DNA sequence: TACCGACAGTGGGGTCGCAAT
DNA sequence: ATTGCGACCC
DNA sequence: CACTATCGGTA
């Protein structure tokens, strides 16, 4: 196949809204090497190209093409993925854009933007061609709904406002089949990106896991641990290859933690690792999202406790506090207590819950939601499927401009954009906004919390408040943004 | 038949590194 | 030194 | 992180 064929396939996939049809088209061409390479280069999250806006060039009608899955063009992607940036990168891209013909240039652009624009992504692709696109997944929570709780009591873990860190810990050992497993520890984010600022926690964590496994295999405390889990951990290497699930916080502030963890050549000295789960690493090896044989949360919670007991003194590795709750009332009372202690909220987990490598209704998060009414100061257009309608509203929050870009229905995006255009025209015609339809009106905005800069974290539109008078009178304080 | 779970695709504040200015 | 962009975290 | 829209399997 050549690039033109790939574009034709992408058009076919884009043309149908049916997910089954998209999958069928993918399946039909699943063996084509060019398609496979295109899908991988576009959707592998570990390949980034450093360009979100592509250089404009005068395209030729006829020119170079993608031919099969080989050729010099792939070196361009590899160079960008390898870190080539700036003018050098821009020249590479614009040179190729002038060489490629129309379809092939389009394909080139879509891969670089990491969006083939046909309504498929890593999940659908891997569903049809298992393992084609590299990915990483860990367990995540849904918003709390009481009806999701099937049995009481539940365990409520504290939810810290920090960073999810998964520690992959492997103890050096020769396996039954002779495979040699190195001794190593790696820290990763919830999307599988490595953290480099917590190397000082590797040795103590490794030490704790080693002791845990030694005591485990000597039958030290295994008698009261779920037999399924013991069988797995003793009969396989899983006990020596574990993933330690934690939240890392530093200096009691999300911004501080963010700064400490992102520094390129830094050590997050103040970082505390709050461990809330331990899972056999084998669960992360294959495509399976879960394995009921790997123990329920009762077992894993106990394992975390045993692990933490074996952490060398002084190392900032602790057990995330958690509490048993027997009713919804107890949950809410606990939530209020932890909020009063400055924590973000709680994560509710069933005692018999298995670890699932996906967003699961088994974990339910409760966190703060605040509401405020804001004056609309401006608006901006959306992108992609929201072109020609509202992208978001510019709102005033105590003198700080907050962009509110989510929460609208598609109908509201169209309507608000119309109203905004009307207000702009009126202002142009009369030099002022006479009776504005959108500008100067109130909208209710929900958010998580205020930020240190005085803005809103996670702002989203709830509804208009035309029923409520604007504090300073209708249309007060309107300034149209400069063109 | 009506509901709901999984996906895709929009959008936010804030932090860093890097390249251009 | 400052600014803007891209990648990531939430 | 937050949200909405859609398809298609389930209840």
């Amino acid at each position: 196949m050549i690039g033109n064929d790939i574009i034709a396939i992408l058009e076919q996939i884009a043309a149908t809204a049916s997910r089954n049809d998209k999958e069928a088209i993918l399946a039909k061409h699943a063996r084509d090497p060019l398609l496979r390479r295109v899908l991988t280069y576009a959707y592998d999250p570990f390949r980034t190209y450093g360009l979100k806006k592509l250089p404009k060039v005068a395209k030729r009608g006829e020119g170079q093409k993608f031919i099969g899955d080989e050729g010099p063009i792939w070196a361009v992607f590899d160079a960008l993925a390898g870190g080539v940036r700036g003018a050098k990168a821009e020249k590479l891209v614009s040179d190729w854009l002038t060489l490629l013909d129309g379809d092939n240039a389009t394909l080139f652009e879509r891969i670089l933007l990491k969006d083939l624009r046909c309504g498929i992504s890593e999940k659908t692709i891997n569903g049809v061609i298992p393992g084609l696109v590299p990915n990483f997944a860990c367990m995540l929570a849904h918003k709390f709904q009481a009806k999701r709780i099937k049995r009481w009591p539940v365990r409520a873990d504290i939810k810290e406002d920090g960073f999810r860190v998964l520690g992959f810990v492997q103890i050096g050992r020769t396996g039954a089949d002779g495979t040699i497993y190195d001794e190593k520890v790696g820290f990763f984010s919830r999307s599988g990106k490595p953290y480099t600022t917590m190397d000082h926690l590797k040795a103590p964590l490794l030490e704790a896991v080693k002791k845990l496994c030694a005591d485990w295999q000597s039958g030290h405390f295994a008698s009261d641990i779920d037999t399924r889990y013991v069988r797995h951990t003793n009969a396989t290497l899983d006990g020596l290859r574990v993933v330690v699930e934690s939240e890392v916080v530093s200096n009691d502030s999300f911004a501080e933690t963010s700064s400490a963890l992102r520094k390129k050549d830094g050590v997050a000295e103040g970082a505390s690792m709050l461990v809330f789960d331990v899972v056999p690493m084998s669960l992360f090896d294959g495509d399976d999202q879960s394995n009921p044989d790997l123990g329920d949360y009762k077992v894993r919670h106990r394992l975390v406790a045993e692990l933490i007991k074996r952490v060398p003194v002084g190392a900032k590795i602790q057990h995330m506090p958690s509490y048993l709750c027997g009713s919804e009332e107890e949950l809410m009372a606990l939530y209020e207590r932890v909020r009063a202690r400055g924590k973000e909220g709680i994560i509710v987990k069933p005692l018999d819950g298995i670890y699932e490598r996906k967003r699961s209704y088994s974990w339910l998060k409760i966190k703060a939601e605040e509401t405020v009414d804001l004056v609309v100061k401006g608006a901006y257009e959306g992108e992609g499927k929201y072109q020609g309608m509202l992208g978001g509203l510019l709102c005033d929050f105590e003198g700080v401009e907050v962009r509110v870009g989510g929460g609208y229905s598609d109908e509201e995006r169209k309507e608000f954009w119309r109203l905004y255009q009307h207000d702009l025209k009126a202002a142009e015609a009369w030099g002022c906004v006479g009776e504005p339809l959108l500008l100067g009106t109130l909208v209710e905005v929900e958010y998580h919390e205020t930020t240190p800069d005085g803005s809103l974290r996670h702002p989203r539109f709830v509804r208009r408040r035309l029923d409520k008078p604007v504090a300073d009178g209708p249309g007060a304080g309107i300034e149209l943004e400069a063109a």
Side-chain angles (χ1 to χ4, degrees):
Chain A
M1 279 209 215
I2 61 173
N4 308 67
D5 303 320
I6 300 298
I7 285 291
I9 292 170
L10 297 183
E11 295 303 320
Q12 269 186 59
I13 295 174
T16 173
S18 160
R19 306 206 48 74
N20 289 342
D21 290 354
K22 287 179 192 289
E23 286 173 15
I25 298 166
L26 266 183
K28 194 161 78 179
H29 302 99
R31 308 199 64 80
D32 182 74
L34 175 56
L35 178 63
R36 293 169 76 102
R37 192 159 190 184
V38 167
L39 294 173
T40 305
Y41 274 52
Y43 291 115
D44 179 351
F46 300 101
R47 302 184 63 91
T48 56
Y49 302 119
L51 286 150
K52 282 301 166 192
K53 281 168 192 162
L54 299 177
K56 286 278 171 208
V57 298
K59 284 180 203 162
R60 296 181 189 167
E62 207 63 36
Q64 293 255 33
K65 300 174 185 303
F66 283 82
I67 299 171
D69 66 334
E70 297 294 335
I73 195 164
W74 299 101
V76 178
F77 296 116
D78 292 342
L80 295 173
V84 172
R85 291 291 181 272
K88 215 172 153 188
E90 194 168 328
K91 182 165 175 12
L92 265 181
V93 171
S94 51
D95 282 355
W96 272 94
L97 280 174
T98 48
L99 287 175
L100 294 161
D101 74 25
D103 275 356
N104 288 274
T106 301
L107 183 58
F108 183 66
E109 288 177 351
R110 290 187 183 182
I111 297 170
L112 286 177
L113 295 177
K114 300 196 67 67
D115 184 359
L116 298 178
R117 302 217 66 80
C118 58
I120 61 168
S121 194
E122 174 262 322
K123 289 240 170 53
T124 300
I125 297 164
N126 281 337
V128 176
I129 314 172
L132 181 66
V133 182
N135 69 340
F136 184 90
C138 61
M139 191 159 180
L140 299 168
H142 272 286
K143 271 184 78 168
F144 178 84
Q145 291 172 288
K147 67 168 185 184
R148 300 283 178 189
I149 298 179
K150 304 301 178 196
R151 269 177 297 280
W152 300 94
V154 292
R155 182 169 290 282
D157 289 1
I158 299 274
K159 187 180 196 303
E160 290 274 0
D161 189 14
F163 285 71
R164 179 77 167 269
V165 173
L166 296 91
F168 282 63
V169 183
Q170 182 168 293
I171 290 177
R173 191 197 175 191
T174 305
D177 60 353
T179 312
I180 294 170
Y181 293 86
D182 294 337
E183 177 174 287
K184 59 183 173 188
V185 181
F187 293 125
F188 300 91
S189 74
R190 81 178 180 82
S191 63
K193 304 293 193 296
Y195 282 113
T196 59
T197 51
M198 292 179 296
D199 288 358
H200 60 297
L201 294 178
K202 288 184 174 178
L205 187 61
L206 181 64
E207 179 76 21
V209 173
K210 273 182 172 174
K211 282 188 173 148
L212 180 75
C213 289
D215 292 345
W216 195 336
Q217 297 198 322
S218 66
H220 214 250
F221 62 89
S223 59
D224 58 338
I225 296 270
D226 188 298
T227 53
R228 290 169 307 168
Y229 207 94
V230 171
R231 190 176 67 237
H232 256 278
T233 49
N234 285 343
T236 73
L237 281 173
D238 290 350
L240 310 173
R241 299 173 58 239
V242 295
V243 177
V244 177
E245 276 276 26
S246 72
E247 188 80 5
V248 167
V249 296
S250 180
N251 299 329
D252 221 35
S253 139
F254 176 76
E256 299 266 346
T257 309
S258 180
S259 174
L261 263 53
R262 284 166 200 281
K263 293 249 195 281
K264 200 184 167 218
D265 299 307
V267 179
E269 207 64 64
S272 288
M273 178 170 277
L274 295 156
V275 179
F276 58 81
D277 215 330
V278 178
V279 189
M281 204 190 294
S282 61
L283 184 54
F284 285 77
D285 291 341
D287 295 330
D288 290 344
Q289 286 185 328
S290 65
N291 182 347
D293 287 342
L294 297 184
D296 60 28
Y297 190 41
K298 266 200 309 292
V299 174
R300 304 197 312 271
H301 183 265
R302 169 69 194 285
L303 284 174
V304 175
E306 296 292 345
L307 175 72
I308 298 303
K309 281 182 198 168
R310 291 161 174 80
V311 170
V313 286
K316 293 184 179 175
I317 304 175
Q318 301 153 301
H319 199 161
M320 179 74 83
S322 67
Y323 308 85
L324 291 175
C325 290
S327 67
E328 195 178 343
E329 291 68 36
E330 280 183 40
L331 273 182
M332 294 310 156
L334 173 66
Y335 169 71
E336 295 302 334
R337 286 212 309 280
V338 307
R339 288 283 298 157
R341 280 166 43 202
K343 306 303 179 187
E344 193 187 28
I346 55 178
I347 304 264
V348 182
K349 305 177 177 180
L351 299 185
D352 60 351
I354 62 173
Y355 187 96
E356 301 174 274
R357 241 182 27 174
K358 61 172 186 173
R359 193 174 298 280
S360 165
Y361 288 102
S362 166
W363 284 6
L364 304 167
K365 60 183 160 192
I366 307 179
K367 54 192 283 194
E369 285 176 352
E370 307 291 338
T371 282
V372 67
D373 295 319
L374 304 180
V375 177
V376 177
K377 299 291 221 180
Y380 44 93
E381 190 181 347
E383 294 187 352
K385 68 177 179 179
Y386 293 151
Q387 246 174 31
M389 48 182 141
L390 184 81
L393 295 175
L394 300 171
C395 298
D396 175 76
F397 174 67
E398 295 173 1
V400 176
E401 182 183 276
V402 179
R403 299 164 66 92
V404 180
Y408 314 94
S409 69
D410 290 8
E411 275 311 307
E412 285 168 332
R413 288 186 187 276
K414 289 172 196 156
E415 184 195 348
F416 294 174
W417 193 241
R418 266 206 331 271
L419 300 181
Y420 178 62
Q421 298 305 316
H422 167 278
D423 287 354
L424 287 187
K425 279 205 186 72
E428 201 177 315
W430 309 109
C432 68
V433 180
E435 201 52 46
L437 299 180
L438 183 67
L439 297 172
T441 64
L442 285 178
V443 290
E444 183 179 321
V445 172
E446 197 169 58
Y447 63 101
H448 174 52
E449 64 180 1
T450 58
T451 68
D453 293 351
S455 191
L456 302 180
R457 194 168 176 197
H458 309 321
R460 60 267 188 190
F461 170 84
V462 178
R463 56 172 175 154
R464 300 189 73 185
R465 289 304 306 267
L466 298 176
D467 56 309
K468 196 178 158 184
V470 180
D472 303 327
I478 296 191
E479 294 156 41
L480 295 175
E481 63 270 40

